[in-house]
Amino acid sequence: MHASLGSIVLIGVFVLAAVLGSPVGLAMLAGGIAYLLVTHQDLGLLVDQTMNSLYSNYVLLAVPLFIFVANTMNASGVTDRLLDLSSALVGRFRGGLAQVNVLSNLVFSGMSGSAVADAAGPGLIIARMMVRKGYEPGFAAATSAAAATIGPIVPPSIPMVFYALIANTSVGAMFLGGLVPAALMALSLMAIIAVLARRRDFPREAPIALGAWPATIGRAFMPMLLPVILLGVIYSGIATPTDAAAIAAAYALVLAYLVYRSARWPEFVGTLVQTVHSTANVGMIIAGAFVFNYAIASENVPQALQAAIIHWNPSPLLFLAGTNLLLLALACVLDAITMLLVLIPLLVPIAVSLHIDPVFFGVLVILNMMIGLALPPHGLLLYVMSSLTQTPVGAIFRNVLPFIVALLVVLIAVTLVPDLVLALPRHFGYRG
Amino acid sequence: MIGRARRLATWIAAIMFAVMFALFVYKIVMRYAFGDAVAWADELAVLLFMWVIFWGYAFVVPDREQIAFDLVYRALPVTPRRVAGIVRAVLVGGLLAAALPTICGYLLFLNRTQTAVLRWPVGWVYSCFAVMIAAVVARSAVTVVRLCGSAWEREL
């Protein structure tokens, strides 16, 4: 495989700009421009690749809508309701509040689709509660960071929308495929907490009275309906994923501003502004990736890579193991959306030619990326929790390691048993 | 002055997003209640999405909030960081500046075509892309000037 001048310039400029601290989207755009210049192609392609691709990929509109849902839910105080329910369920165990952290993340992630939103929302609230109860701050922040990785495995999921777009698979099948692995992640984290709780003598919460159960469940019922509605409308074929995202956003607005009336005009404006910030940031990475991927594709990199790997002829399992290692290693330096948009177009065709189901592969890829988000030394969630809770990153690194081990066990189990992902979508009619 | 301009730009972006969402709700109600597929609402929502991205990136999102791989950059001592900042701004700003005239020319050319439903000239509809490029070029130029000036440490 000989690297052409074009691909050297493309990757060289991208890496140089990124290492010098340029935002990822801009670095990809700059690399793309340098590529077009040295290969004497028309710079008008920049407009075609970004704007036409955004215009024609309608499913991308689900992304800002899911961001909006997460921000609205965070602003509406729904977190408290989910927290009460989780607390009622698992609070009375030793290390109860840490267990509550994991469980409420599992429930809340059913409405957000973004791991960072989960960490900044319920993750932060519970981490603060844990510190007040006497947990070590590093452990509290690490628990929230590890629990937030569950978020994008449970529908709705922004990374899954990206994957489905790139790999041309069904968003609905992806969403269903994530449910069992997400439950396993929660179980494994909770098991680790149970072990640590005994060893480090964590406190318990007071159990709630039997009579308080119906009210606690009732208070959390309407928010918990959101993922059900979402999956329901997508899977019954009533609505496209994009429309479903809009329905979810409307439901979140009704809950926050009409039913609970817990948020008002200033929160609404704040939510909109926050959503614009995230949308612009993510959108620029998407735009940069469209240009970057155009250059990669016109240099025939995917074909060359595919030919090289097929020539080497690995077993599917070996390929999956290699993918896991590659993604975890890259997650230490790249952000999840960039990896998804740049690497997946290279990997999916190879996976398909090795007869690996694209939905299974997608869930596995996203699982890797989420673990990567909590992986020292670059995991974004660790830094988000560190800055939100004012805890030194080092203390979080130390405490997150047992959780990483637990999540890796789930990753290995899913890699070995594809049915953990595929059984549910197949049961609901996914043919693959 | 700049603070006020950014606030105005933020309001415009927020309103664009709100209208985009309202169009979705309108469209869904029309489709499921009245069986009317309002294609213009679909198109307008997509166009607003594109404007929110590039308008927002150009005028709303502060530099420090952007997603960057800055592990190396942040680990540098101040003087190399100053050099890195200048090289980065010249490299990225320079490449985008080099592309800007062609992009503008191409957008004007695209005005001969119209969007599928609303029949708007494509060049104007896509012009937010050039706005973003121009804003990044301008910001890079300011960064270079400031980093070369005497108060450079404040810029890092």
Side-chain angles (χ1 to χ4, degrees):
Chain A
M1 213 166 100
H2 289 284
S4 61
L5 174 68
S7 48
I8 292 171
V9 168
L10 171 76
I11 292 168
V13 170
F14 165 64
V15 170
L16 181 64
V19 168
L20 292 175
S22 165
V24 182
L26 272 187
M28 286 197 278
L29 205 57
I33 294 173
Y35 167 79
L36 292 174
L37 285 172
V38 297
T39 53
H40 305 290
Q41 297 188 59
D42 184 3
L43 287 167
L45 279 167
L46 290 170
V47 179
D48 281 342
Q49 287 307 316
T50 51
M51 304 311 270
N52 284 346
S53 309
L54 285 172
Y55 180 85
S56 55
N57 284 309
Y58 191 67
V59 69
L60 278 178
L61 274 164
V63 172
L65 292 170
F66 282 139
I67 295 174
F68 185 59
V69 174
N71 289 337
T72 302
M73 282 301 200
N74 265 339
S76 71
V78 150
T79 319
D80 295 338
R81 296 162 185 271
L82 302 177
L83 212 63
D84 289 346
L85 180 64
S86 311
S87 197
L89 286 169
V90 293
R92 74 195 102 111
F93 298 117
R94 189 164 286 288
L97 212 47
Q99 304 285 20
V100 171
N101 197 340
V102 176
L103 194 64
S104 56
N105 251 290
L106 180 67
V107 180
F108 185 82
S109 53
M111 342 185 153
S112 89
S114 147
V116 174
D118 294 353
L124 175 62
I125 294 175
I126 310 173
R128 283 187 181 146
M129 286 168 65
M130 285 174 71
V131 174
R132 272 202 299 275
K133 279 274 178 176
Y135 288 83
E136 183 197 331
F139 179 77
T143 312
S144 292
T149 60
I150 302 173
I153 315 290
V154 185
S157 159
I158 291 170
M160 283 185 181
V161 174
F162 282 131
Y163 179 88
L165 173 78
I166 298 164
N168 203 11
T169 58
S170 136
V171 175
M174 289 290 296
F175 278 6
L176 275 179
L179 286 177
V180 174
L184 290 177
M185 288 165 85
L187 278 177
S188 73
L189 293 178
M190 292 173 87
I192 287 284
I193 291 171
V195 173
L196 291 175
R198 209 153 299 209
R199 205 182 291 168
R200 295 167 65 172
D201 199 25
F202 289 150
R204 306 163 188 264
E205 307 305 301
I208 70 163
L210 204 61
W213 272 97
T216 310
I217 295 174
R219 272 165 46 84
F221 181 73
M222 300 244 308
M224 286 181 61
L225 220 51
L226 193 134
V228 179
I229 295 175
L230 198 69
L231 275 181
V233 291
I234 294 179
Y235 241 81
S236 58
I238 295 177
T240 63
T242 320
D243 286 355
I247 294 170
Y251 184 74
L253 280 181
V254 168
L255 275 192
Y257 297 96
L258 295 179
V259 180
Y260 297 150
R261 294 168 184 267
S262 48
R264 294 182 187 283
W265 180 248
E267 283 87 5
F268 180 66
V269 175
T271 309
L272 278 179
V273 171
Q274 242 180 327
T275 307
V276 167
H277 281 213
S278 310
T279 304
N281 264 330
V282 174
M284 258 312 276
I285 297 182
I286 300 173
F290 279 134
V291 174
F292 194 83
N293 287 341
Y294 163 79
I296 291 276
S298 50
E299 289 297 306
N300 289 322
V301 176
Q303 289 85 340
L305 196 66
Q306 193 174 4
I309 289 184
I310 288 175
H311 178 73
W312 172 45
N313 196 17
S315 70
L317 200 58
L318 188 62
F319 172 73
L320 290 176
T323 305
N324 286 341
L325 288 176
L326 175 76
L327 292 177
L328 287 176
L330 284 176
C332 297
V333 290
L334 286 176
D335 76 280
I337 304 281
T338 312
M339 271 168 62
L340 206 54
L341 291 172
V342 172
L343 281 179
I344 299 318
L346 299 175
L347 293 176
V348 170
I350 303 172
V352 170
S353 66
L354 293 170
H355 305 290
I356 296 168
D357 181 88
V359 167
F360 161 68
F361 188 66
V363 173
L364 193 68
V365 161
I366 291 164
L367 196 55
N368 271 298
M369 287 177 176
M370 291 312 122
I371 297 175
L373 281 180
L375 208 59
H378 190 59
L380 180 63
L381 287 171
L382 305 175
Y383 288 91
V384 169
M385 285 316 296
S386 164
S387 77
L388 289 176
T389 60
Q390 306 291 320
T391 313
V393 182
I396 305 181
F397 282 4
R398 220 175 30 250
N399 279 293
V400 85
L401 289 179
F403 294 127
I404 298 290
V405 173
L407 293 173
L408 287 178
V409 170
V410 176
L411 179 69
I412 293 169
V414 172
T415 309
L416 294 174
V417 190
D419 271 342
L420 289 175
V421 173
L422 290 173
L424 214 50
R426 279 186 180 144
H427 181 74
F428 284 94
Y430 169 70
R431 280 174 227 292
Chain B
M1 171 62 194
I2 287 184
R4 193 177 292 178
R6 174 165 279 175
R7 246 204 326 273
L8 181 67
T10 306
W11 270 103
I12 292 174
I15 290 168
M16 286 196 286
F17 185 89
V19 172
M20 180 192 106
F21 175 63
L23 282 170
F24 262 103
V25 174
Y26 170 74
K27 190 191 82 172
I28 289 168
V29 170
M30 289 304 283
R31 182 176 310 155
Y32 298 111
F34 303 100
D36 184 0
V38 271
W40 67 266
D42 262 340
E43 181 166 86
L44 190 54
V46 173
L47 298 180
L48 283 168
F49 171 51
M50 295 157 79
W51 273 82
V52 167
I53 293 175
F54 294 111
W55 178 274
Y57 196 80
F59 303 124
V60 181
V61 183
D63 278 344
R64 63 187 144 71
E65 239 185 59
Q66 298 176 10
I67 301 165
F69 164 65
D70 49 8
L71 208 59
V72 176
Y73 176 74
R74 261 196 269 176
L76 293 174
V78 277
T79 306
R81 213 194 298 180
R82 180 187 187 189
V83 177
I86 294 173
V87 174
R88 175 190 65 210
V90 169
L91 177 73
V92 174
L95 281 167
L96 266 59
L100 189 56
T102 320
I103 289 172
C104 291
Y106 186 66
L107 286 172
L108 287 174
F109 166 77
L110 278 181
N111 270 336
R112 298 179 193 188
T113 50
Q114 295 171 327
T115 60
V117 187
L118 292 165
R119 304 256 148 234
W120 287 351
V122 170
W124 286 114
V125 165
Y126 283 4
S127 63
C128 52
F129 186 70
V131 169
M132 178 278 293
I133 300 268
V136 173
V137 170
R139 275 208 300 241
S140 304
V142 170
T143 305
V144 171
V145 170
R146 286 195 185 154
L147 282 176
C148 291
S150 53
W152 59 274
E153 271 178 274
R154 237 186 309 159
E155 186 65 15
L156 288 177

